[in-house]
Amino acid sequence: MSKRHAMIAAVGVLASASALAQTETTGQANPRPATAAGTVPAAANPAHAAAPKAAVPASTAESRSAAALALTHEPTYDEGSAQRIKDAALSYSDLAVRGGWPTIPADAKFALGVQGASDELLRKRLILSGDLAADKTSGAFDQDLVDAVKRFQARHGLAPTGTVTPRTVAAMNVSVQKRIRQLEASLQRLENMNFGFGQRYVVVNIPAAFAEAVENDVVVRRYRVIVGKTEKPSPTLTAQITSVVLNPTWTVPSSIAKTEISAHMRKDPTYLSRMHMEVLDAHDNSIDPHSVDWSGTHTPNFTVRQHNGTFNALGAVKIDMPNAYSVYMHDTNQRNLFSDDYRFDSHGCSRVDNVRDLAAWLLKDQPKWSRAAIDAEIASGQHLEVAMAKKVPVAWIYLTAWMTKDQTVQFRNDVYNQDEQLLEATAEEAAFFSNAGSHPLTAHMHVTQ
């Protein structure tokens, strides 16, 4: 069995042991596993992070990205991420063995300064996950509890309002065993990645729907992004950003041309002209849309391209990053969607809020391309591809659980339902190698990976 399988199995055993636990340790803000020598290492402790301040009103691209950056400057993904996730998994497994955390009633009421029937239960829940100090075990719903709720909300991708909303209660009531499995799955994904971290790099964490620009191990920019729909998920990948395209045209993927464009043309033959699109043959020559079979019954033998402009689906900026999935990062002409909490609405590409700011950061080593110069070039309406003087690594990752360097454990919803699929596949693989090792025909062989 590989070391990876052994780690996952060990964590799983600890999590399962919670069902047999007869006692539950309470009042501990920082659950920590003991090492073999009996010492207690620093481990997952969300309380180390200060309670987030109220978010800047999300009214503009600049204010949204500023609010996102203000939450933390710690990268979601860096060279120490896998080890920290292991530490968090062991810490949470220790908590699971001791009974986990209590369930908050769905109809519980909480109001600042008002004594409520579930106040102490809420305190216990937040103490056990490290969001509230261990000595704050009793009292009405006060400012300490508001700050703890904000801290919990920020760690789970919820607006840090301090109000115990139904979504907040639902997140609190996810079992510690489920959180451990999220950590297990996230660890596996990172161990299967081969990413060359540079002094500067970009990360898109798909479940969080955020992009980070990292420089010298610090997040210097963070942006809301819109990623793939559940039926058209964004892929995980590593690549290099090679160029920034200003006023891009959009070459419609053949799958979209066959289904969506064809359906529009069947209903409205003027659709292409209204959308500033043209049809091209294999040699990039324009052809008459009326000569095309729009029945949608066969693979298109043509290309649909949208001209650049304010109407263009890619907006004013495209960030090229050649990869096997033909996806990229770009602007959009539907910027209102960035204000939504649920940002899973693309066909697989990543739409970036405040993308001109990201473009300026990517091109900052090329003095000619200041933010003002980028804005001026976009205003000219001319299509232009600006090659990167030095390529910047980019990773699209799928982490539903991780721990940052300040020991804050973060969780997000498994929007694509990939965690359980991965863990089931891993369990089957581990069982196969385990069985192979004990099979009479292979018992003499060493099974390694």
Side-chain angles (χ1 to χ4, degrees), residues 399-440:
L399 297 186
T400 61
W402 68 96
M403 184 166 73
T404 49
K405 284 182 288 188
D406 63 359
Q407 306 294 295
T408 301
V409 186
Q410 299 269 351
F411 294 101
R412 297 296 184 271
N413 290 335
D414 181 14
V415 288
Y416 296 159
N417 295 317
Q418 292 183 359
D419 282 356
E420 290 301 321
Q421 296 173 32
L422 176 63
L423 293 174
E424 287 173 7
T426 301
E428 291 175 1
E429 182 185 2
F432 170 81
F433 284 109
S434 177
N435 292 336
S438 60
H439 193 279

Side-chain angles (χ1 to χ4, degrees), residues 38 122 127 166 168 227 242 256 271 275 306 312 347 361 374 381 391:
L122 178 64
I127 287 172
T168 302
V227 290
T242 57
I256 297 178
Y271 176 80
M275 298 302 293
Q306 187 177 42
N312 189 280
H347 285 78
W361 180 80
I374 290 171
K391 297 176 183 178

Side-chain angles (χ1 to χ4, degrees), residues 117-413:
S118 300
D119 289 347
E120 291 193 6
L121 192 65
L122 178 64
R123 287 178 178 276
K124 181 178 180 180
R125 168 65 183 85
L126 293 171
I127 287 172
L128 284 168
S129 58
D131 296 292
L132 181 64
D135 60 351
K136 305 292 184 180
T137 57
S138 61
F141 194 90
D142 57 10
Q143 191 58 47
D144 287 335
L145 208 45
V146 169
D147 290 342
V149 171
K150 287 182 180 180
R151 191 176 292 113
F152 176 90
Q153 290 168 327
R155 293 196 303 110
H156 293 77
L158 303 170
T161 61
T163 300
V164 185
T165 63
R167 289 181 63 192
T168 302
V169 172
M172 287 182 179
N173 287 341
V174 173
S175 70
V176 68
Q177 289 84 0
K178 173 68 179 292
R179 295 307 189 194
I180 293 168
R181 291 182 70 79
Q182 288 184 262
L183 289 161
E184 292 173 1
S186 295
L187 174 61
Q188 280 222 58
R189 290 192 180 91
L190 290 193
E191 291 188 332
N192 289 327
M193 289 188 72
N194 182 23
F195 183 56
F197 294 95
Q199 179 185 3
R200 297 202 303 155
Y201 63 94
V202 174
V203 171
V204 173
N205 186 14
I206 296 166
F210 275 100
E212 295 175 351
V214 183
E215 189 166 3
N216 297 321
D217 297 322
V218 175
V219 178
V220 294
R221 303 281 195 281
R222 185 177 285 110
Y223 311 97
R224 292 181 170 217
V225 295
I226 296 168
V227 290
K229 302 175 182 179
T230 54
E231 64 272 23
K232 299 180 185 293
S234 293
T236 55
L237 57 83
T238 61
Q240 297 278 333
I241 294 174
T242 57
S243 65
V244 174
V245 184
L246 307 179
N247 296 315
T249 59
W250 178 42
T251 300
V252 181
S254 59
S255 59
I256 297 178
K258 179 180 179 180
T259 55
E260 299 179 30
I261 300 294
S262 295
H264 284 301
M265 285 299 288
R266 289 195 296 272
K267 295 178 181 178
D268 176 13
T270 69
Y271 176 80
L272 285 179
S273 60
R274 289 193 298 101
M275 298 302 293
H276 304 274
M277 293 177 171
E278 62 179 333
V279 184
L280 307 172
D281 64 17
H283 303 287
D284 260 10
N285 297 314
S286 183
I287 59 178
D288 183 355
H290 299 290
S291 66
V292 173
D293 178 5
W294 298 106
S295 66
T297 58
H298 64 280
T299 301
N301 58 355
F302 55 84
T303 299
V304 176
R305 183 174 298 158
Q306 187 177 42
H307 300 157
N308 60 289
T310 56
F311 43 79
N312 189 280
L314 304 188
V317 178
K318 174 187 176 186
I319 297 172
D320 266 333
M321 37 175 285
N323 59 84
Y325 303 95
S326 299
V327 293
Y328 41 85
M329 303 170 72
H330 65 89
D331 188 15
T332 178
N333 59 359
Q334 295 179 294
R335 297 187 182 97
N336 59 299
L337 297 179
F338 289 118
S339 297
D340 294 342
D341 288 334
Y342 186 87
R343 297 188 299 279
F344 304 90
D345 196 44
S346 81
H347 285 78
C349 286
S350 175
R351 308 173 196 168
V352 183
D353 196 14
N354 202 15
V355 70
R356 296 189 192 193
D357 184 69
L358 175 58
W361 180 80
L362 289 169
L363 298 172
K364 74 173 193 170
D365 293 336
Q366 296 163 251
K368 177 182 177 181
W369 292 108
S370 64
R371 172 60 188 270
I374 290 171
D375 289 342
E377 188 65 34
I378 290 172
S380 76
Q382 296 300 306
H383 172 88
L384 180 67
E385 180 173 337
V386 182
M388 298 283 294
K390 183 178 180 181
K391 297 176 183 178
V392 173
V394 58
W396 289 15
I397 59 177
Y398 193 90
L399 297 186
T400 61
W402 68 96
M403 184 166 73
T404 49
K405 284 182 288 188
D406 63 359
Q407 306 294 295
T408 301
V409 186
Q410 299 269 351
F411 294 101
R412 297 296 184 271
N413 290 335

